[in-house]
């Protein structure tokens, strides 16, 4: 009876919404079918020649110094900034990009690794009849399809399970997920489906069994975010954009417009962080795409301008791969404090994380023990009691700052809009703020459209729909087999290279060192349990890596997967980079210290090591207390209230009789 009421209630609530969304989707289906042709035409319409060889960083700095005036200068090397540079340069605009740290060093490398439309945003759109939220989800789903197409080596569809523990939730969640499929239209990756309890446990055996009713599975995309960001930057560079990391903007340059008498932004004064050299870069249009630091650049233009961004932190932890199936994620849409938690397989590990906690803007966000314990406790709620969720299994942790656009009526960051906004100041500074990783391309297109109009630039429409990113052109799912056969790489290493570099994996394989073993013939690993090889460090320098942190966190993902493994690999990485970049012993020492500091604070090593100190407080949840009580009573059979050496010996004799027998004989 209750189940029937729930179904009827859901139908009544959603009936009008379904009709509305269905009507909107009829038009979108036509657009989606037509877009197949648009993808091909747009990619072929790029008339800018692409370079066979990537310019060196030194060549890029020289181009910045010697070019009289660029059409577009982008500040910020995250996904949106690099997207703006790629969009501008492929339209034929003379383009430059400056990033004060490394490409993707901020928010863009610290995401949940999902390419998604936003199931929960669609829920808000339907329940509140919010057409803007609907448009955002629709746009994100279109961009999801495009991103999976233009970088198939770095991205793939991922099924995500919503476990259901109450009968009334089944029709409610089913309705919401089916709407998600419907809005995606022909770009739906794969239709969602319902699983019975037994089938759900087959797919996700770690799931908590008691009270489980069933599950709903839907599909979104997943990617290697830092490598995707880098692929966008490298593609822009190959098309001719003068892109430079470690180039800090010190101030904006302005000139007086003779016609209006107003001051106009005409470029920037910047500093090469690696050499200390300062120089000016002139441009007709300057674009601020600095994410969480949007307001600081806007205040370079006008000190009195009000803030438009509200930073929100998302914390994630990495756990061993055995915590989740190889190809099935988990979504908890309603945690104990209302936030959403994802539990996803990634790079043969498991990511668990939350979104939306108010925070301050900083270049070095640090995950806290409180954040980590919150995630672990929520994970315990969904996993079987047979699976012991241990604090010691947290291999890495990080915090990313999302630059959300403030809604004046909002009381907390969960109500802040995820839509992006493009603003143009009186002096002509173009700012792109808000949005999400998945919609970086659409954000870039809107930004360059606005820049062209505001600054009267001569350029056509965007060419980036369907434009393949570096590594995608000759990639195929079986490319790794050729790497194994032609170069003698281990299969796991070959798969990693193919899924990281795409068709550029052969360039890495060519410089891989001979191992001196029968097998593998080439490819010395940096650490035994990960497929990263020494040749990637050499190649990473060609991809503008200039610090050890660049290598362990973004050119490879070691720091994000296992901080101890990253620390173990550091000496060898620094030796190789030192040879490539002519570092002296003092520079090598500085790089080692900086990388260890990065791992200690930003990648969770500190909170991990704090657990081991004598002065640290021990915080145990109810499940932990119950588990340790059982273990204590297993030893204290006589219920004395304490354990003796004889108690320990008795238990060990039961558990390991053969070992103790051999020990006593010897």
């Amino acid at each position: 009876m209750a189940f029937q009421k729930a179904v009827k209630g859901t139908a009544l609530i959603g009936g009008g919404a379904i009709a509305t969304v269905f009507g909107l989707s009829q038009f979108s289906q036509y657009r989606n079918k037509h877009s197949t042709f648009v993808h091909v035409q747009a990619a072929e319409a790029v008339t800018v020649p692409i370079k066979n060889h990537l310019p060196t960083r030194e060549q890029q700095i020289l181009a910045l110094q010697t070019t009289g005036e660029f059409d577009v200068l982008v500040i910020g090397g995250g996904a949106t900034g690099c997207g703006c540079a790629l969009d501008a340069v492929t339209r034929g605009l003379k383009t430059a990009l400056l990033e004060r740290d490394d490409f993707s060093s901020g928010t863009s490398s610290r995401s949940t690794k999902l390419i998604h439309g936003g199931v929960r945003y669609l829920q808000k759109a339907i329940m509140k009849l919010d057409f803007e939220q609907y448009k955002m989800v629709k746009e994100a789903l279109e961009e999801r399809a495009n991103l999976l197409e233009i970088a198939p080596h770095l991205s793939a569809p991922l099924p995500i399970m919503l476990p259901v523990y109450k009968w009334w939730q089944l029709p409610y969640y089913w309705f919401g997920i089916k709407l998600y499929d419907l809005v995606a239209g022909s770009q739906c990756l794969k239709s969602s489906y319902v699983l019975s309890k037994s089938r759900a446990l087959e797919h996700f055996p770690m799931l908590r069994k008691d009270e489980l009713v069933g599950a709903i599975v839907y599909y979104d995309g997943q990617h290697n975010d830092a490598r995707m960001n880098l692929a966008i930057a490298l593609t822009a560079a190959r098309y001719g954009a003068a892109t430079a990391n470690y180039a800090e903007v010190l101030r904006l340059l302005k000139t007086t417009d003779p016609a209006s008498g107003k001051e106009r932004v005409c470029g920037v004064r910047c500093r090469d962080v690696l050499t200390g050299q300062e120089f000016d870069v002139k441009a007709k249009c300057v674009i601020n795409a600095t994410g969480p630091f949007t307001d600081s650049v806007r205040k370079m233009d006008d000190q009195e301008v009000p803030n438009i961004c509200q930073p929100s932190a998302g914390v994630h932890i990495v756990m061993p791969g055995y915590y989740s199936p190889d190809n099935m994620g988990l979504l908890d849409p309603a945690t104990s404090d209302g936030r959403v938690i994802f539990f996803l397989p990634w790079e043969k590990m498991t990511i668990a994380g939350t979104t939306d906690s108010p925070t301050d803007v900083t270049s070095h966000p640090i995950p806290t023990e409180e954040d980590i314990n919150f995630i672990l406790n929520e994970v315990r709620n969904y996993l079987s009691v047979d699976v012991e969720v241990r604090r010691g299994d947290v291999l890495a942790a990080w915090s990313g700052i999302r630059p959300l656009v403030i809604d004046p009526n909002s009381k907390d960051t969960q109500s802040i809009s995820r839509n992006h906004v493009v603003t143009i100041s009186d002096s002509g500074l173009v700012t792109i703020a808000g949005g999400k990783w998945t919609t970086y391309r659409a954000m870039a297109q809107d930004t360059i459209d606005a820049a062209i109009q505001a600054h009267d630039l001569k350029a056509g429409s965007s060419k980036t729909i369907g434009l393949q990113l570096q590594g995608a052109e000759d990639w195929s799912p079986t490319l790794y087999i050729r790497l194994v056969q032609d170069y003698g790489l281990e299969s796991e290493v070959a798969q990693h290279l193919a899924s990281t570099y795409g068709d550029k994996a052969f360039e890495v394989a060519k410089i891989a060192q001979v191992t001196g073993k029968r097998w593998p013939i080439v490819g010395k690993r940096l650490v035994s349990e990960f497929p990263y090889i020494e040749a990637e460090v050499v190649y990473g320098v060609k991809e503008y890596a200039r610090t050890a942190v660049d290598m362990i966190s973004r050119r490879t993902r070691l720091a994000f997967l296992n901080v101890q493994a990253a620390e173990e690999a550091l000496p060898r990485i620094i030796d190789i980079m030192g040879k490539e970049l002519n570092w002296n012993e003092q520079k090598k020492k500085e790089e080692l210290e900086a990388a260890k500091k990065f791992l200690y604070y930003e990648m969770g090593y500190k909170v991990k090591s704090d657990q081991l100190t004598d002065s640290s407080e021990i915080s145990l949840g109810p499940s932990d207390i119950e588990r340790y009580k059982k273990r204590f009573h297993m030893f204290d059979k006589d219920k004395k209230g304490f354990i003796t050496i004889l108690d320990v010996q008795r238990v060990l004799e039961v558990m390991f009789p053969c070992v103790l027998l051999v020990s006593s004989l010897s």
Side-chain angles (χ1 to χ4, degrees), residues 206 319-326 343 348-350 387-388 390 393:
M206 308 84 174
M319 305 171 77
Y322 54 69
Y323 274 98
S324 65
D326 292 338
F343 193 65
K348 298 186 178 180
M349 295 293 184
T350 301
V387 179
E388 184 179 340
R390 304 181 303 179
D393 280 342

Side-chain angles (χ1 to χ4, degrees), residues 461-506:
S461 59
S462 177
K463 308 293 193 297
T464 52
I465 293 179
L467 184 70
Q468 291 184 313
L469 300 182
Q470 173 164 302
E473 186 175 354
D474 294 322
W475 177 86
S476 72
T478 57
L479 182 144
Y480 79 95
I481 297 175
R482 287 172 53 198
L483 291 170
V484 174
Q485 294 175 335
D486 295 353
Y487 294 94
L489 289 160
E490 291 176 85
S491 181
E492 184 186 13
V493 170
Q495 288 176 335
H496 154 67
L497 294 181
S499 65
T500 302
Y501 304 94
D503 59 20
K504 302 298 180 186
F506 293 100

Side-chain angles (χ1 to χ4, degrees), residues 75-76 80 107 288-295 309 401-404 432-434:
I75 307 173
T80 304
T107 303
N288 171 19
T290 53
F293 302 95
T294 293
D295 288 320
C309 281
I401 301 177
R402 291 157 174 76
L404 306 180
I432 171 67

Side-chain angles (χ1 to χ4, degrees), residues 618-649:
I618 298 175
S619 178
L620 299 177
S623 60
D624 295 318
I625 294 171
E626 191 60 34
R627 185 166 63 252
Y628 290 122
K629 275 184 179 179
K630 289 180 180 178
R631 290 182 179 177
F632 179 84
H633 293 313
M634 181 177 71
F635 285 88
D636 184 21
K637 290 286 187 183
D638 303 327
K639 299 183 180 179
K640 303 183 295 298
F642 58 88
I643 299 172
T644 66
I645 295 175
L646 291 176
D647 293 328
V648 175
Q649 185 177 356

Side-chain angles (χ1 to χ4, degrees), residues 575-591:
D575 280 345
I576 297 171
M577 292 189 75
K579 185 177 180 181
E580 294 294 315
L581 296 168
N582 298 315
W583 288 346
N584 57 30
E585 290 305 314
Q586 179 60 31
K587 175 63 175 175
K588 288 182 180 180
K589 183 180 178 181
E590 291 171 0
E591 284 294 322

Side-chain angles (χ1 to χ4, degrees), residues 427-638:
S427 62
L429 176 67
V430 179
T431 294
I432 171 67
K436 54 192 289 187
W437 221 123
T438 306
T439 59
Y440 86 91
R441 194 213 61 81
M443 293 166 64
Q445 178 179 326
D446 291 349
T447 305
I448 302 303
D449 284 345
I452 289 171
Q453 184 175 1
H455 293 271
D456 195 27
L457 303 176
K458 306 304 178 187
S461 59
S462 177
K463 308 293 193 297
T464 52
I465 293 179
L467 184 70
Q468 291 184 313
L469 300 182
Q470 173 164 302
E473 186 175 354
D474 294 322
W475 177 86
S476 72
T478 57
L479 182 144
Y480 79 95
I481 297 175
R482 287 172 53 198
L483 291 170
V484 174
Q485 294 175 335
D486 295 353
Y487 294 94
L489 289 160
E490 291 176 85
S491 181
E492 184 186 13
V493 170
Q495 288 176 335
H496 154 67
L497 294 181
S499 65
T500 302
Y501 304 94
D503 59 20
K504 302 298 180 186
F506 293 100
E507 295 182 10
V508 183
K510 286 176 184 176
I511 58 176
Q513 288 185 316
V514 175
T515 63
K517 302 176 183 178
R518 182 182 61 81
W519 190 262
I521 298 172
V522 299
K524 291 183 178 179
R525 295 196 183 208
L526 289 168
V527 284
S528 59
E529 67 266 42
F530 289 94
Y532 302 112
I533 60 174
E534 292 183 358
E536 292 181 77
V537 182
V538 177
Y539 195 76
V541 173
K542 299 179 189 294
E543 293 183 326
Y544 307 139
R546 287 299 180 269
T547 70
V549 172
D550 295 345
M551 196 62 63
I552 61 175
S553 60
R554 292 173 287 274
R555 301 311 182 281
T556 70
R557 305 313 306 273
L558 260 178
F560 282 78
L561 295 171
N562 190 313
V563 288
Q564 289 179 299
E567 185 181 42
E568 181 184 326
L570 273 176
R572 183 57 184 148
I573 287 173
I574 290 171
D575 280 345
I576 297 171
M577 292 189 75
K579 185 177 180 181
E580 294 294 315
L581 296 168
N582 298 315
W583 288 346
N584 57 30
E585 290 305 314
Q586 179 60 31
K587 175 63 175 175
K588 288 182 180 180
K589 183 180 178 181
E590 291 171 0
E591 284 294 322
L592 183 62
E593 290 175 356
K596 285 187 174 182
K597 183 178 179 181
F598 170 79
L599 292 173
Y600 188 71
Y601 289 105
E602 295 183 52
M603 288 291 111
Y605 213 151
K606 180 181 186 298
V607 287
K608 187 179 181 69
S609 61
D610 281 352
Q611 296 290 307
L612 306 176
T613 62
D614 294 335
S615 59
S616 299
E617 295 182 5
I618 298 175
S619 178
L620 299 177
S623 60
D624 295 318
I625 294 171
E626 191 60 34
R627 185 166 63 252
Y628 290 122
K629 275 184 179 179
K630 289 180 180 178
R631 290 182 179 177
F632 179 84
H633 293 313
M634 181 177 71
F635 285 88
D636 184 21
K637 290 286 187 183
D638 303 327

Side-chain angles (χ1 to χ4, degrees), residues 384-443:
S384 169
V385 293
D386 298 331
V387 179
E388 184 179 340
V389 180
R390 304 181 303 179
R391 175 61 181 82
D393 280 342
V394 177
L395 304 175
W398 69 86
S399 176
I401 301 177
R402 291 157 174 76
L404 306 180
V405 181
I406 286 179
D407 177 353
N409 300 316
S410 169
K411 294 182 180 180
D412 57 59
T413 60
Q414 290 175 336
S415 301
I416 292 175
S417 173
R418 265 60 177 181
N419 292 325
H420 63 271
V421 295
V422 179
T423 64
I424 302 175
S425 71
D426 292 340
S427 62
L429 176 67
V430 179
T431 294
I432 171 67
K436 54 192 289 187
W437 221 123
T438 306
T439 59
Y440 86 91
R441 194 213 61 81
M443 293 166 64

